[in-house]
Amino acid sequence: MTATSRQGSVKPFTLIEGPAAWYTKDYAGTTKHVYFLTPSDIAELDTAVQSVVAAGLDIKDASKDSFPLPTFGPKLKEIQHEVSFGRGFALLKGVPVDRYSRQESLIAYWLMGQYWGKAVPQNQKGHVIGHIKDIGHDPSKPETRLYATSVAQPWHNDGPADLVALLCLKAARQGGSSGWSSSITVYNEILKRAPELANVLADPNAWYFDRKGEIPPGKKGFYPIPVFNFFHGHLSVNYSDNYYFLSQRHPEVPRLTEQQLQAIKLFNELAASPELAMDYVLQPGDVQLLSNHTCLHYRSAFEDYDDINEKRHLLRLWLTPEEERPLPHYYEEIQGSTEIGKRGGIRTEGQVETISLEAE
């Protein structure tokens, strides 16, 4: 019988118990993971948003200290703690984007996010709020970030940040599911079914991520980081097969082995299985908050409306909380640092952090 352990005292290659190791049946058909904004929450958001507008501030200069959410803010903090140290995901419903202007939606989201952590840049343009929208980029080009297309995004986590949040402004005409799975449960199932592949996925010399051309000063266009990272009593999972395959364009990167390809296949099958995957189409006003260390997510392909004002549009935050788990040195490449509260983001030379009103 395989030994067990829990996050905070994980022993490598033991089955992990606890709230982060969940299955679909634990939450399907329930609202245990959902927070519905109350009239009081919305009133506080409205007041803060209008105060920022009246002050004429740049959105990124608006702080929760100057524009607080007195009772809603502590609730948001509790949700973040559950995501970082508990089940790894949450869904919020009821942000009034239907009556907010684009600027007001960005302000509301920006202030909410500050109760979850510090927002970090998501690309070389320095966007600290990302626009998830099809703007016609060619998905076949190596440096295309798939969030700017309508094609499916395979199972992955957003490695450059501890948390990822998505606020839906507009849903697609068809498709565009935003599903998620527990990467801890994927690990457990691999350990049960093919323990030799669990060892392969933890090999620090086998897995390389491509930077898609967004290269920090003094760095290469790729870097090594294992899928399964055991460190100081935690298992943190970093995964995106798209980036492993893309790294093969660099002659210095070792070729993927047959065992690695088997591990990728099994990992994807498990993440997508009905027993592990939560499938959900975000609706306007919904916010999905995920831990990048214990949750995976995907986006199905979608078809947009012809009306440009009705096209699928989500806003993304990458966040690093003040309280989080320790990470091994491999994460210095993907997050720039392992210092809690200061790590995270894609950093490139000459970058200026900014918030744009539209996808670009």
Side-chain angles (χ1 to χ4, degrees):
M1 183 176 178
T2 306
T4 63
S5 58
R6 298 177 70 90
Q7 291 284 18
S9 57
V10 166
K11 295 179 180 178
F13 306 109
T14 59
L15 292 174
I16 297 175
E17 298 178 331
W22 51 268
Y23 289 84
T24 309
K25 62 181 175 59
D26 298 326
Y27 292 98
T30 78
T31 57
K32 293 185 291 186
H33 59 291
V34 183
Y35 178 78
F36 298 89
L37 270 67
T38 67
S40 174
D41 298 333
I42 294 170
E44 289 185 8
L45 264 184
D46 287 345
T47 297
V49 166
Q50 293 309 315
S51 295
V52 173
V53 172
L57 291 176
D58 189 297
I59 296 172
K60 67 182 178 59
D61 294 329
S63 73
K64 66 179 177 62
D65 295 329
S66 298
F67 304 94
L69 305 172
T71 63
F72 185 33
K75 297 175 190 175
L76 293 172
K77 188 65 181 173
E78 289 178 10
I79 292 168
Q80 177 262 311
H81 191 272
E82 177 61 35
V83 170
S84 292
F85 299 104
R87 64 175 172 262
F89 69 95
L91 180 67
L92 292 80
K93 297 181 73 66
V95 180
V97 298
D98 56 335
R99 60 175 175 80
Y100 279 171
S101 68
R102 177 66 51 76
Q103 180 194 28
E104 290 168 340
S105 291
L106 285 161
I107 293 170
Y109 194 38
W110 180 247
L111 293 175
M112 288 173 62
Q114 290 181 45
Y115 288 92
W116 293 332
K118 176 178 170 54
V120 296
Q122 302 174 30
N123 52 33
Q124 60 187 355
K125 294 179 179 179
H127 293 155
V128 287
I129 295 183
H131 292 265
I132 311 303
K133 188 177 185 180
D134 179 14
I135 53 174
H137 288 189
D138 184 352
S140 68
K141 291 185 176 180
E143 295 182 357
T144 292
R145 302 278 296 278
L146 294 181
Y147 66 78
T149 74
S150 64
V151 302
Q153 289 185 275
W155 288 96
H156 67 286
N157 62 289
D158 289 8
D162 295 311
L163 304 177
V164 56
L166 294 171
L167 167 62
C168 180
L169 300 181
K170 297 283 186 179
R173 177 169 60 189
Q174 184 175 340
S177 294
S178 297
W180 63 96
S181 284
S182 164
S183 54
I184 305 304
T185 304
V186 170
Y187 156 81
N188 280 343
E189 290 297 325
I190 291 175
L191 193 61
K192 293 175 187 176
R193 302 175 190 210
E196 73 283 2
L197 296 183
N199 281 277
V200 170
L201 289 160
D203 186 343
N205 301 310
W207 302 93
Y208 288 80
F209 250 49
D210 193 283
R211 293 190 189 274
K212 290 203 168 188
E214 296 178 314
I215 305 172
K219 298 291 186 179
K220 295 181 178 180
F222 60 90
Y223 54 89
I225 182 168
V227 179
F228 295 154
N229 294 272
F230 298 100
F231 187 70
H232 286 192
H234 294 272
L235 170 62
S236 300
V237 180
N238 187 76
Y239 182 83
S240 180
D241 62 1
N242 178 39
Y243 285 73
Y244 304 136
F245 290 127
L246 192 57
S247 74
Q248 298 289 284
R249 64 180 172 153
H250 303 285
E252 309 98 305
V253 173
R255 301 302 90 179
L256 291 166
T257 67
E258 182 58 34
Q259 267 201 324
Q260 284 178 282
L261 294 175
Q262 291 174 9
I264 289 171
K265 182 174 183 292
L266 179 57
F267 194 106
N268 287 337
E269 288 174 351
L270 287 168
S273 68
E275 293 77 21
L276 271 67
M278 296 279 286
D279 190 44
Y280 185 75
V281 178
L282 293 172
Q283 298 300 316
D286 289 351
V287 180
Q288 180 192 68
L289 182 65
L290 303 176
S291 166
N292 282 318
H293 306 310
T294 65
C295 267
L296 307 155
H297 59 281
Y298 87 101
R299 199 251 342 260
S300 68
F302 64 89
E303 295 179 10
D304 255 330
Y305 292 98
D306 294 331
D307 185 343
I308 193 171
N309 295 315
E310 296 300 320
K311 289 184 178 295
R312 184 182 188 270
H313 195 167
L314 278 64
L315 301 178
R316 182 174 65 190
L317 285 168
W318 280 356
L319 300 152
T320 178
E322 294 178 353
E323 295 180 70
E324 255 293 349
R325 65 179 55 207
L327 294 173
H329 69 88
Y330 305 109
Y331 281 80
E332 291 176 359
E333 289 287 351
I334 198 169
Q335 292 204 10
S337 168
T338 58
E339 185 177 354
I340 295 171
K342 296 185 178 180
R343 63 198 184 198
I346 292 173
R347 312 280 181 175
T348 57
E349 191 169 6
Q351 182 187 67
V352 177
E353 293 186 8
T354 184
I355 296 174
S356 62
L357 291 178
E358 186 51 84
E360 55 184 26

